[in-house]
Amino acid sequence: MDGDRLTSQKSYWRSLQRLHDSPVFQDAGDEFPEGASSPPSGLSRRSLLKLMGASLALAGAASCRRPEDRILPYVSAPEGLIPGIPLRYATAASIATGVYGLVVESHEGRPTKIEGNQMHPSSLGAASPWLQASILNLYDPDRVRRVRRRNDPEGAWEDATWEEFVQAWSERAAELEAAGGRQLALLLPNFASPTTRRLVRAVLERFPEAATAAYEPFHDANIFAGIETATGRSLRPAYRLEKASTLAAFDCDFLLTESDALSAARGFSSGRRVESASDEMNRLYVVEGSLSLTGANADHRLPLPPTQVADALTRLFESLRERGLSLPELQGPPAASLSEAAQAKLDLMAQDLMRSGSKGVVLAGRRQPPRSHSLALAINRALGSLGEAVTLHPADDVGCDSEEALVRLAEGIEREEITHLIVAGANPIYSAPADLGLREGFKKLAFIAQLSLHADETTELAHWHLPQTHFLEDWSDYRSADSTLSVGQPLIAPLFEACRSVDELLSLVVGDEISPSHSLVRETWRGLLPEEDFEASWRRALHDGVLSEADGGGASVEAPLVIAEAPPALGGTDSDALEVIIAPSSALYDDRNSNNAWLQELPDPITKLTWGNAALISPATAERHHLADGEHIRLSLSDRAIEIPVLILPGHADGCATLSIGYGRAGGGDIARGVGTDATPLRTASHPFLLPGVKIEKVAGRTRHAQTQEHWSMEGRSIVREATLEQYRAQPDFATAPEANLKPYPLWDDPELAGRYQWGMVIDLNACIGCSACVVACQSENNIPIVGPEQVRNSREMHWLRIDRYFAGPPDDPEVVFQPVPCMHCERAPCEQVCPVAATVHDNEGLNVMVYNRCIGTRYCSNNCPYKVRRFNFFNYTGRIPELVQMGMNPNVTVRSRGVMEKCTYCVQRISESKIHARKEGRDVQDGELQTACQQTCPAQAIAFGDISDPNSQVSRWKAQDRNYTLLADLYNKPRTTYLAKLRNPNPQWEEIR
């Protein structure tokens, strides 16, 4: 097999404009995207240098006028604290009902970096973008800082105290208790916490007729309902996908937005790890409407509109039963008609699952109705994967309600049966379905108290507004999907003294006085740990961050499974109407992160969209409605409508659109307000995730999206290399074949590399899922600033690490590949040869380092970098960082100002720390002891870093694999970062189906 032919048979493209050879790209002229290399305000380079010189002179002249600050030592130093030496503590956090064990780095009492806890089964040392960026939420200047009250929601706020609120509540609580609490309602976010569950039960003991609801816009209520219907027990699933060889996901983005995505990503990627041509690899089928991160990593993907996804799962169920799998006969109406091609592909999927047996797993996403989850559970049990790759565990400590709980709440308010409402950590006015009319209903309430991090949309209607603690400021506890218990311990005292936690507010509702969260959690754990050894067990749980419960592992389901009833038909009859998918934002998740600038600027893995949302539609749908990127449409359902720009997404199912929420905020902080479009007005209680019959109309207006997908483009060169598993077995050297006969002619000598260590990196494209956790980890570790939407539109984002996304194949169903691109740390670095002031130089350990104090901003190095991984500070992005936010910055990394070039440093501060630590102990740095920020947080373990002079190191072993190749090897830059080529495991019969 010819190597060149194998690696060039695919044509990769980043956007539809490039695929169709848009005039914008026919004569690029400049290697940089438009606006990226131009000086601000159209200044010439000479004028810019003059201004820079003047600013430097002014800075020098002004330096003598800076106020003097005296550095004083501790009068009494905290125990165990050595200035300059960070401490690390185990804690935990929760997103919806997913629980993640964390390890947080703290400098002199300031938490600065979040990592995953390797001992926790839900995180396994990894952290998602949302967890990484939550450190910024702690230091958010827009957080609520004091208690406020008003008698009328239309009136002005006035400052108050917790003592005054306690008094006001106690007076009302006595009356409510006398009436059994029938006029009281309690609204919480989803939780998986023994202490919160205990306190909610205590509230109901005091107020037995009170209404309670635990609600978030994206919840797992359908999953729990489907499993409970099937088994008769309150259980929740946990997945060990490393044990699966064939996976079929139905509207299930288990790699990013579903609960427990970190452990799922680790398990899935471990099944993609191939070290030699003899290794096996798992196969992933995905059926979905919008192209998700999981769909982008699939070997085969079947794009279907939402009305047909549940029918596709039903068809798979019936196909498996027809092939002899022990499954019950389904009752109810038959599934809606699917195309013959779709049915044939589902039959092929069934054959593969039957062949895999106990290593076959079917997953249904949270948007699917309960019936889909009972079908998936029945299939997994019949295949034999239940108890192996899929386990069930008690859901006793979970609070997760569907929209039905909000319907009961809204009806109680409308009938004036509920007059008092406590909202603890939730924002129902923004996130609840619009047809419930909660905004008008809340105006009827006599008493609304809200505990929240920000003044949000619900705050507008509250009588009392109470400041909430960040999870790093209080004590909490959690139970993960596999029943592992963990304690969330604070890393810092509340930055604002008036802040209280959800559990502390619940303790007030229970007993008319606030109990400290530490006491509440310890009281709960006294019932979970042996009393005779409580203190030792408690301290061990705090140290490790986990306590595994011996619950027998996966709960077996021996009795016949009951299949939930089929939901009412979802689809409409109007052929011009759209089906709308309401999805979590891959950047924000939901409104809780709207004020987080890191996440607002994080490119969506698929669309590369930042600072806003759009209606995602397929190329065919766009053509049918005569729409182009950025043009505005009006989406209407009943008497509600929104206007939003469109974004054409290859691979999206026809006849439907996808909207993400968390945008278009009227409250929530300065960064959140006005960014994007609020999609929640279209949500209904009966259809919160999948909306049928939405009318579409093109309207005036056009938005220029802040996208990064065309920045630093390298199409036309052999960047990504991939093959099928069978092709790899036939030609193991396919990745390096294009350079087999390369005869380089070096233009200069290699640098002297006399250091004890020689650092290098390998990125496994076969394991990488493109989740962008590494991007946020790098930003947090290296104090990388945001630049804002206008500068992103000018191609000036500052991320040191980018994730390139390439499409291949037809626009209606393309293949997707991701490629992380940091600085290559070339041994023959072309950037070093052109810098006139030696600001970018090579050290003796192979690092390409920056001397910021020398850099004068000529940008020659960026011009000469073929990988386009250097970022220039056109503006003083760090000069406007609030002082509170600066508390979360890494003190071991220089904070750059205007006029210098930035880039990946291989986390040189971590290298130095490891070498100092090893030298103090009289030894060498051990392999695995040192990890870069991107490597440490990667859920897929797709990055290896270490000493390439050690042949036994992980990075050396990866570089020795036959899939290891060099980016742009023909330039002979000899980069220290290389790649393992991507492999796919397709079913050879899939493409035969038309």
Side-chain angles (χ1 to χ4, degrees):
M1 184 179 296
D2 181 64
D4 290 328
R5 181 175 57 80
L6 174 59
T7 55
S8 62
Q9 61 187 356
K10 286 186 178 181
S11 176
Y12 295 99
W13 43 279
R14 285 199 182 184
S15 65
L16 290 170
Q17 291 86 347
R18 286 188 178 272
L19 177 65
H20 299 310
D21 199 21
S22 167
V24 175
F25 301 107
Q26 288 176 1
D27 184 18
D30 192 352
E31 61 188 312
F32 293 93
E34 183 180 358
S37 60
S38 304
S41 306
L43 294 175
S44 67
R45 176 168 293 180
R46 176 172 296 183
S47 299
L48 179 61
L49 289 175
K50 286 182 178 180
L51 286 176
M52 289 179 60
S55 63
L56 289 172
L58 288 172
S63 62
C64 61
R65 300 178 61 84
R66 292 177 182 169
E68 292 185 5
D69 290 327
R70 299 187 182 279
I71 301 176
L72 303 177
Y74 287 105
V75 175
S76 179
E79 183 179 355
L81 178 65
I82 302 174
I85 305 298
L87 299 177
R88 294 173 176 87
Y89 298 90
T91 186
S94 175
I95 299 175
T97 54
V99 174
Y100 305 97
L102 306 175
V103 174
V104 183
E105 182 178 285
S106 176
H107 288 266
E108 286 78 57
R110 297 179 297 107
T112 59
K113 185 68 172 63
I114 291 177
E115 299 292 352
N117 185 346
Q118 295 182 358
M119 300 178 66
H120 199 286
S122 293
S123 53
L124 299 170
S128 68
W130 307 313
L131 292 169
Q132 289 281 348
S134 63
I135 196 77
L136 195 61
N137 293 340
L138 171 65
Y139 299 108
D140 189 346
D142 291 332
R143 284 180 56 186
V144 181
R145 306 187 180 205
R146 56 188 179 276
V147 178
R148 299 185 298 166
R149 68 178 176 191
R150 58 185 175 185
N151 296 324
D152 183 352
E154 300 294 330
W157 288 104
E158 58 182 51
D159 291 347
T161 64
W162 272 99
E163 289 74 16
E164 291 173 312
F165 175 72
V166 170
Q167 178 64 30
W169 162 251
S170 300
E171 294 171 356
R172 294 176 180 269
E175 300 176 3
L176 293 169
E177 187 174 14
R182 67 174 62 95
Q183 291 183 312
L184 174 65
L186 181 65
L187 184 58
L188 303 172
N190 290 171
F191 61 85
S193 165
T195 295
T196 304
R197 171 56 70 195
R198 178 177 66 83
L199 291 170
V200 170
R201 289 171 177 159
V203 169
L204 293 177
E205 289 177 3
R206 183 182 183 187
F207 306 103
E209 296 186 51
T212 62
Y215 176 79
E216 289 182 1
F218 300 106
H219 54 72
D220 294 339
N222 286 346
I223 300 177
F224 298 138
I227 294 177
E228 187 165 6
T229 299
T231 63
R233 286 179 282 173
S234 179
L235 300 170
R236 61 191 304 203
Y239 295 96
R240 297 167 181 160
L241 299 185
E242 65 275 8
K243 298 184 178 183
S245 61
T246 302
L247 301 95
F250 289 78
D251 193 22
C252 181
D253 187 16
F254 64 82
L255 291 180
L256 185 63
T257 58
E258 298 283 337
S259 294
D260 294 302
L262 290 178
S263 59
R266 176 66 59 83
F268 170 75
S269 293
S270 67
R272 311 290 285 186
R273 204 168 299 284
V274 174
E275 295 185 0
S276 67
S278 61
D279 289 348
E280 296 295 329
M281 192 169 116
N282 64 27
R283 178 176 292 155
L284 172 62
Y285 297 93
V286 171
V287 181
E288 62 183 3
S290 184
L291 179 56
S292 68
L293 189 71
T294 302
N297 284 275
D299 295 293
H300 293 298
R301 181 174 171 273
L302 180 59
L304 292 177
T307 52
Q308 296 184 18
V309 173
D311 294 328
L313 181 53
T314 302
R315 170 68 185 184
L316 176 70
F317 185 95
E318 294 172 339
S319 182
L320 287 165
R321 189 171 62 82
E322 292 168 359
R323 283 168 169 74
L325 201 63
S326 179
L327 293 169
E329 186 172 351
L330 294 179
Q331 304 298 319
S337 60
L338 298 167
S339 68
E340 291 184 4
Q343 293 183 53
K345 289 181 176 180
L346 290 164
D347 291 343
L348 193 61
M349 198 182 303
Q351 293 177 15
D352 232 350
L353 287 168
M354 289 285 289
R355 192 181 305 114
S356 298
S358 62
K359 292 186 177 181
V361 175
V362 176
L363 304 96
R366 56 160 65 112
R367 285 193 294 258
Q368 288 299 298
R371 178 182 176 88
S372 294
H373 297 283
S374 59
L375 289 175
L377 182 62
I379 292 173
N380 290 328
R381 187 186 72 159
L383 288 171
S385 58
L386 183 61
E388 294 293 328
V390 185
T391 56
L392 300 177
H393 304 264
D396 298 335
D397 294 327
V398 173
C400 178
D401 290 313
S402 67
E403 285 68 24
E404 293 180 3
L406 286 186
V407 170
R408 293 191 295 270
L409 176 65
E411 291 174 347
I413 294 174
E414 180 64 27
R415 293 193 297 263
E416 299 185 359
E417 296 171 356
I418 295 175
T419 58
H420 291 65
L421 174 66
I422 294 178
V423 182
N427 183 16
I429 296 301
Y430 176 84
S431 62
D435 64 334
L436 294 179
L438 288 184
R439 180 175 292 275
E440 294 303 316
F442 276 29
K443 294 178 181 178
K444 300 179 180 181
L445 294 172
F447 180 88
I448 302 176
Q450 185 202 21
L451 179 80
S452 66
L453 279 170
H454 298 96
D456 54 34
E457 290 79 0
T458 302
T459 309
E460 298 175 10
L461 304 173
H463 301 94
W464 286 86
H465 192 208
L466 312 170
Q468 182 182 357
T469 53
H470 186 274
F471 75 87
L472 292 177
E473 296 175 324
D474 65 42
W475 292 85
S476 53
D477 60 3
Y478 305 96
R479 189 186 295 275
S480 59
D482 69 346
S483 291
T484 297
L485 283 164
S486 50
V487 178
Q489 59 177 321
L491 270 289
I492 190 172
L495 295 175
F496 311 114
E497 189 176 353
C499 292
R500 299 290 185 272
S501 69
V502 170
D503 288 345
E504 288 174 326
L505 180 59
L506 290 177
S507 73
L508 172 63
V509 179
V510 171
D512 292 347
E513 63 179 18
I514 297 175
S515 298
S517 58
H518 178 259
S519 301
L520 295 171
V521 173
R522 279 177 62 91
E523 182 180 347
T524 302
W525 281 60
R526 285 195 178 278
L528 300 173
L529 299 175
E531 183 61 35
E532 64 275 9
D533 195 29
F534 174 77
E535 287 299 333
S537 299
W538 168 256
R539 293 182 67 85
R540 172 56 60 184
L542 291 182
H543 177 273
D544 294 346
V546 295
L547 177 70
S548 297
E549 280 280 284
D551 68 335
S556 60
V557 181
E558 303 298 339
L561 291 173
V562 178
I563 305 300
E565 293 183 3
L570 185 65
T573 58
D574 188 349
S575 59
D576 289 332
L578 295 179
E579 300 173 22
V580 170
I581 304 167
I582 304 295
S585 165
S586 62
L588 303 184
Y589 185 74
D590 61 14
D591 58 296
R592 77 189 71 195
N593 291 316
S594 297
N595 211 52
N596 191 302
W598 288 354
L599 295 178
Q600 286 280 10
E601 198 158 291
L602 180 67
D604 179 282
I606 307 298
T607 67
K608 296 301 175 183
L609 185 65
T610 71
W611 290 101
N613 57 344
L616 308 181
I617 58 175
S618 71
T621 301
E623 183 177 359
R624 184 166 60 252
H625 293 279
H626 309 289
L627 292 167
D629 272 344
E631 291 187 325
H632 288 202
I633 58 173
R634 178 182 173 88
L635 297 175
S636 56
L637 184 64
S638 300
D639 59 344
R640 299 179 306 280
I642 65 170
E643 289 188 10
I644 188 170
V646 301
L647 183 62
I648 302 172
L649 177 61
H652 200 285
D654 293 337
C656 58
T658 300
L659 304 176
S660 57
I661 69 172
Y663 299 94
R665 301 287 306 278
D670 288 341
I671 290 175
R673 274 190 288 272
V675 176
T677 302
D678 182 7
T680 59
L682 294 180
R683 298 181 70 226
T684 64
S686 57
H687 299 105
F689 304 130
L690 306 172
L691 313 178
V694 178
K695 296 185 181 301
I696 177 175
E697 176 187 3
K698 185 176 179 179
V699 296
R702 188 162 191 162
T703 296
R704 183 188 174 199
H705 295 305
Q707 283 178 280
T708 64
Q709 70 178 35
E710 294 302 341
H711 298 190
W712 325 115
S713 179
M714 295 190 291
E715 281 95 335
R717 292 183 283 184
S718 183
I719 305 302
V720 174
R721 297 187 185 172
E722 64 170 308
T724 67
L725 186 60
E726 292 304 315
Q727 288 172 333
Y728 171 49
R729 287 170 175 167
Q731 185 187 359
D733 65 341
F734 79 93
T736 57
E739 285 80 42
N741 299 317
L742 185 65
K743 296 180 179 179
Y745 296 94
L747 298 179
W748 48 81
D749 296 333
D750 288 336
E752 294 186 10
L753 302 174
R756 161 62 186 85
Y757 307 98
Q758 297 298 313
W759 306 113
M761 178 178 285
V762 179
I763 301 174
D764 187 354
L765 300 184
N766 205 43
C768 175
I769 60 174
C771 67
S772 298
C774 54
V775 176
V776 183
C778 177
Q779 186 160 26
S780 177
E781 173 73 19
N782 294 293
N783 301 332
I784 299 173
I786 62 158
V787 302
E790 289 305 318
Q791 293 307 311
V792 173
R793 292 187 184 98
N794 286 332
S795 308
R796 292 175 180 158
E797 72 273 14
M798 292 298 296
H799 294 132
W800 291 2
L801 171 65
R802 73 175 190 268
I803 310 292
D804 286 345
R805 183 268 296 123
Y806 294 97
F807 292 121
D812 60 336
D813 187 19
E815 292 180 342
V816 184
V817 63
F818 300 100
Q819 183 173 47
V821 185
C823 174
M824 297 289 110
H825 289 271
C826 308
E827 290 186 17
R828 296 175 174 271
C831 57
E832 298 172 7
Q833 313 306 320
V834 296
C835 181
V837 292
T840 175
V841 295
H842 224 72
D843 74 359
N844 62 6
E845 295 182 348
L847 298 184
N848 175 258
V849 297
M850 284 295 302
V851 184
Y852 295 124
N853 199 42
R854 293 179 185 169
C855 182
I856 60 173
T858 62
R859 294 172 289 147
Y860 296 159
C861 57
S862 183
N863 292 337
N864 219 39
C865 174
Y867 310 101
K868 298 302 172 226
V869 290
R870 290 172 165 264
R871 305 288 175 259
F872 184 67
N873 260 321
F874 278 102
F875 299 97
N876 188 8
Y877 301 115
T878 59
R880 59 176 185 252
I881 296 178
E883 188 172 335
L884 184 63
V885 176
Q886 294 178 32
M887 290 180 62
M889 302 180 82
N890 187 349
N892 292 328
V893 176
T894 303
V895 178
R896 286 78 57 191
S897 185
R898 174 181 177 177
V900 300
M901 191 66 69
E902 303 188 19
K903 68 168 195 69
C904 160
T905 66
Y906 272 168
C907 290
V908 66
Q909 69 279 3
R910 293 191 174 201
I911 294 175
S912 298
E913 180 183 357
S914 296
K915 290 195 298 184
I916 291 171
H917 184 69
R919 187 164 57 246
K920 286 171 60 178
E921 296 183 357
R923 58 175 178 83
D924 289 338
V925 176
Q926 302 299 308
D927 187 44
E929 175 185 357
L930 166 60
Q931 291 184 314
T932 60
C934 55
Q935 174 192 18
Q936 184 174 32
T937 202
C938 179
Q941 291 186 309
I943 302 174
F945 175 79
D947 183 6
I948 62 175
S949 67
D950 176 7
N952 297 316
S953 66
Q954 182 191 33
V955 67
S956 294
R957 295 196 304 272
W958 282 24
K959 284 183 179 291
Q961 292 187 29
D962 46 26
R963 286 189 298 123
N964 182 69
Y965 74 97
T966 299
L967 205 60
L968 304 181
D970 54 318
L971 300 180
Y972 202 54
N973 295 323
K974 300 179 68 175
R976 286 292 180 92
T977 296
T978 56
Y979 294 87
L980 296 182
K982 184 176 179 61
L983 298 177
R984 298 185 188 273
N985 188 18
N987 188 322
Q989 297 175 269
W990 185 274
E991 295 303 327
E992 299 175 4
I993 301 173
R994 294 288 183 266

